[in-house]
Amino acid sequence: MQHIEIATLLKSEPSLHEVSVKGWVRSFRSNRFIALNDGSTIKNIQCVVDFEKFEEEILKKITVGAAIHVRGLLVESQGQGQAVEIQVSKVEILGEANPEEVKLTILSPKRHSIETLREQAHLRVRTNTFSAVMRTRSKLAFAVHDYFQKNGFNYMNTPVITGSDAEGAGEMFRLSSLDPKNPPLNEDGSINYKEDFFGKETNLTVSGQLEAETYAMGLGKVYTFGPTFRAENSNTSRHLAEFWMIEPEVAFNDLDANMDLAEDFIKYIITYALENCADDLEFLEERLFQDEKNKPQAERSEMKLREKLQFILDNNFKRVTYTEAIEILKRSKPNQKKKFKYIIEEWGADLQSEHERFLVEKHFKCPVILFDYPANIKAFYMRLNEDGKTVRAMDVLFPGIGEIVGGSQREERYDVLKSKMESMGIDEKELWWYLELRKFGTAVHSGFGLGFERMVQFVTGMGNIRDVIPYPRTPGNAEF
Amino acid sequence: MQHIEIATLLKSEPSLHEVSVKGWVRSFRSNRFIALNDGSTIKNIQCVVDFEKFEEEILKKITVGAAIHVRGLLVESQGQGQAVEIQVSKVEILGEANPEEVKLTILSPKRHSIETLREQAHLRVRTNTFSAVMRTRSKLAFAVHDYFQKNGFNYMNTPVITGSDAEGAGEMFRLSSLDPKNPPLNEDGSINYKEDFFGKETNLTVSGQLEAETYAMGLGKVYTFGPTFRAENSNTSRHLAEFWMIEPEVAFNDLDANMDLAEDFIKYIITYALENCADDLEFLEERLFQDEKNKPQAERSEMKLREKLQFILDNNFKRVTYTEAIEILKRSKPNQKKKFKYIIEEWGADLQSEHERFLVEKHFKCPVILFDYPANIKAFYMRLNEDGKTVRAMDVLFPGIGEIVGGSQREERYDVLKSKMESMGIDEKELWWYLELRKFGTAVHSGFGLGFERMVQFVTGMGNIRDVIPYPRTPGNAEF
């Protein structure tokens, strides 16, 4: 008889047919009630054992963490909290879990710190919190594909290994197959990368945008969803050295259309999560609520988790120019009373997280899209406005998390791009292909990047980005 | 007025409302017929220009490769090959394409070799062949997610950067942030990787399987779909240094269930492609047919492209043990007549591509799943059979392409796995977490890997794997 998933079983009607289920023991109370979980849902199925009918030898192996196979009738539950339960007729022990050894792990039924859970990342997905986070992550990832495919975008895979270091989004990891101790040298003493695997120096990509642009200019609408890398020594709750990024790029879209796309896309995936992860989000909401009880009032969230998600759906993202934002910030209380760490004195200042959060959480009290930033604090490929000093850049700012999307209309004019690259010291020989796009049927186009883990953090309410990816990579940590 | 995608327009009824469309000129015949493409479909929309109504200045800029914006009425087409066409009232040149410069690129309207197209990988997606391949690739990728999500699997992202080099699937790329010329050394003269970014030596992953197993043992059913890497000097039409792999892993699945899953999954994504990529596959089928006309009869495909795909759907995959296969091969004509490059003499021989193709194409004439291979030619993690000499490995073999899937039931027994690792020299200290899975509620589980690009090759009929990924990475090549 084929076993059934617990998620399916919990939605079934009681029946006189025997059912079969496999999973891991979460608890075994009074030698009678097994709470069994198989990962298909956060909910356990209650399996009721008549201990007089089973051998002691079997019963004592039904311990927390053990894998078992249960057969029996699915009956209406007598207890609270579930509609159905299994009246067990047969138990088979698939894999034991020695209670003395379990005690030393996070599988043991007591409260473990989030840091301890992180150290046992190979086991943490068996806890309620992490199984809920990872199921939600999976659904969100699907929502990303679902949205873009429904809207006529083509998924493309941009290269992870890149021969270009001109992307300018951050520090890169170097890749090599040369003997690390005695690499071949050129006559001038530099390393001879011509002898390396790719015949040149290579790095891990920091963004697929430039390649995505080449495909948008042929397929029209494309998106990437792949790993990107930063070799930056940022030990924060918001940074990973390896993270997944989503980058749509659309031919003929100007900045307004780009903003529309970002807002529509974000609302779609949040709606998808609310509709498809109800049980997990209910659990995560309660977890966050309990967690914040230990915090001072001022640090607690104003809204509960799902209320916050609904809030995003119910509000138009407020679109504000950088120039307007600077005026608001200059006149703001925290600026005048010098409560900001970085005081805003004049136009041109780079905005810090504190400023973004002030705008979103205190001033506008809704998601904000800032646009038309000063050219000299933004990347070379952003389209210069007619004023000659701002570019068509945009950042989407969210409550509690700050920047969640960064994007722009791209500079489509050959001469403007070329001179911008020259003035910023970007080697034309490396990006000849990027420049060439502007020679053959160039057109207005736009795109943005969304760090997937930040979105998962936002939706699940997890405070640390290391807890929303299975095996986080951070400075000093590449375990598992 | 919002512009409409050509794919949508071609399905529309003629109308008296003006439509707006943007795209790139594929051809402009007789100063009258513009074939316009925007990447949303392989089909062009015909835009009919009454040249007397337009200025010469505009008309001469409507050249191959130029980006234009066309407005006009959507009317019933007078010509053949399309139901509707646009009666142009307005043309705006968005981006010119100088004909003299276009001549030097693959955008020029003549036959270019596939190698030349590869050198201009940033432009090749504007050709019919590559736009068809890449749209199909996108649909196939979505089919992968669609299949697994519908069947209750959780998508997971396994790490690209790995501190472990014990996975054993092939040569790895080394990653570092140390000064490549003067790396810090230990007292014994070896490189001090403790000072590197992650505090240890790190490589690019060759497989996410081991990490996927940890998640299957908590979430039940998981799959990965991400980039994997091989630092192998294989300059063939079937190998990439960077490619995308799909790896499902399922708790409680034995090898039979694993075979069922592989067959069902493959049939689903092929069905999806046939249903959702009809225009592109029609084009690619004709392309392949024309391409093979230049080949000697013996090298031509026996079936047309879509016929071959339908053939996979219509046949059960034949399941054959390695031992049976060896008997068949030993007695086969090419073996007896010494036509094989590698003559099969006895049980234990590793099968080569020529043997796999003989079994699939000549003997069984259908897709084949070989299983129960000799333990000593397979990886350490595969489950040992009761005979003590074979393991529960499986390979799915396809006509024309050979191995497309490799998988196994995993060794779930702690002691057996531990001694296998010892005997194969795999450091327990590196894979402590993998071994530990077998301590806490171990269970039968299985999974497999499918190289995504090989599947795209199979479905699109492209002969070289470099032509089914946007920017291929191969020895000596990391351009773009």
Side-chain angles (χ1 to χ4, degrees), chain A residues 26 42 124-125 127-136, chain B residues 219:
Chain A
R26 284 294 175 86
I42 195 157
R124 67 179 178 170
V125 77
T127 65
N128 281 333
T129 297
F130 283 90
S131 72
V133 168
M134 295 305 167
R135 273 189 301 267
T136 305
Chain B
L219 295 177

Side-chain angles (χ1 to χ4, degrees), chain A residues 323-338:
Chain A
T323 304
E324 291 170 289
I326 285 290
E327 287 308 311
I328 292 164
L329 287 167
K330 276 206 303 204
R331 290 193 307 263
S332 72
K333 263 197 197 158
N335 204 57
Q336 306 231 332
K337 296 197 172 172
K338 304 207 188 294

Side-chain angles (χ1 to χ4, degrees), chain B residues 276-294:
Chain B
N276 292 278
C277 309
D279 291 344
D280 288 325
L281 292 181
E282 184 184 350
F283 173 85
L284 291 167
E285 176 172 288
E286 182 60 19
R287 190 204 74 90
L288 184 62
F289 182 70
Q290 295 299 336
D291 200 46
E292 291 192 339
K293 275 193 178 163
N294 305 319

Side-chain angles (χ1 to χ4, degrees), chain B residues 323-340:
Chain B
T323 303
E324 292 170 290
I326 285 289
E327 287 308 311
I328 291 164
L329 288 167
K330 275 206 301 205
R331 291 194 307 265
S332 72
K333 262 197 198 158
N335 204 57
Q336 306 231 331
K337 296 197 173 175
K338 304 207 189 298
K339 298 272 179 172
F340 282 145

Side-chain angles (χ1 to χ4, degrees), chain A residues 100 108 204:
Chain A
E100 291 307 309
S108 60
L204 292 188

Side-chain angles (χ1 to χ4, degrees), chain A residues 3 5 22-24 38-40 65-67 94-97 101-102 105 107 119 121-123 125-126 131 134-135 137-139 141-142 145-146 149 153-163 173-181 183 189-191 193 197-200 202 204 211 214-221 225-227 229-233 241-242 244 251-252 432-433 436-437 439-443 470-471 473-480, chain B residues 3 5 22-24 38-40 65-67 94-97 101-102 105 107 119 121-123 125-126 131 134-135 137-139 141-142 145-146 149 153-163 173-181 183 189-191 193 197-200 202 204 211 214-221 225-227 229-233 241-242 244 251-252 432-433 436-437 439-443 470-471 473-480:
Chain A
H3 63 277
E5 279 170 32
K22 294 177 179 179
W24 293 274
D38 66 0
S40 64
L94 301 174
E96 301 178 31
E101 293 190 290
V102 165
T105 74
L107 298 176
E119 283 163 20
H122 63 309
L123 298 177
V125 77
R126 292 206 210 169
S131 72
M134 295 305 167
R135 273 189 301 267
R137 181 184 167 109
S138 168
K139 293 277 192 245
F142 185 67
H145 289 290
D146 201 40
Q149 298 271 343
F153 286 67
N154 289 287
Y155 179 49
M156 77 175 283
N157 296 122
T158 51
V160 171
I161 297 171
T162 169
F173 288 105
R174 197 181 59 250
L175 202 75
S176 183
S177 297
L178 295 176
D179 178 349
K181 273 192 64 187
S190 61
I191 291 176
Y193 284 109
F197 188 92
F198 294 107
K200 63 195 296 194
T202 49
L204 292 188
E211 288 91 353
T214 67
Y215 265 48
M217 296 308 280
L219 294 177
K221 295 161 145 187
F225 188 178
F229 304 85
R230 296 282 188 285
E232 278 155 17
N233 199 2
E242 173 181 332
W244 284 66
F252 315 120
W432 63 273
W433 49 274
E436 211 174 79
L437 279 189
K439 261 177 125 162
F440 303 112
T442 191
Y471 296 101
R473 267 54 185 132
T474 52
N477 177 36
E479 276 303 308
F480 306 101
Chain B
H3 64 278
E5 280 170 30
K22 294 178 179 179
W24 293 273
D38 67 359
S40 63
L94 302 174
E96 301 177 32
E101 293 189 289
V102 165
T105 73
L107 298 176
E119 282 163 19
H122 63 309
L123 298 177
V125 78
R126 293 205 210 170
S131 71
M134 295 306 166
R135 272 188 302 268
R137 182 184 167 111
S138 169
K139 292 278 192 246
F142 185 67
H145 288 289
D146 201 42
Q149 298 271 343
F153 285 68
N154 288 287
Y155 180 49
M156 78 175 283
N157 296 121
T158 51
V160 170
I161 298 172
T162 170
F173 288 105
R174 196 180 61 252
L175 203 74
S176 183
S177 297
L178 295 176
D179 179 349
K181 274 193 63 186
S190 61
I191 291 176
Y193 284 108
F197 188 92
F198 294 107
K200 64 196 295 194
T202 48
L204 291 189
E211 289 91 354
T214 66
Y215 266 47
M217 297 308 280
L219 295 177
K221 295 160 145 187
F225 188 177
F229 304 85
R230 297 283 188 285
E232 277 156 20
N233 200 2
E242 172 180 332
W244 284 66
F252 314 121
W432 62 272
W433 49 274
E436 210 174 81
L437 278 189
K439 261 177 125 163
F440 302 113
T442 191
Y471 296 101
R473 267 56 183 129
T474 52
N477 177 34
E479 276 303 308
F480 306 100

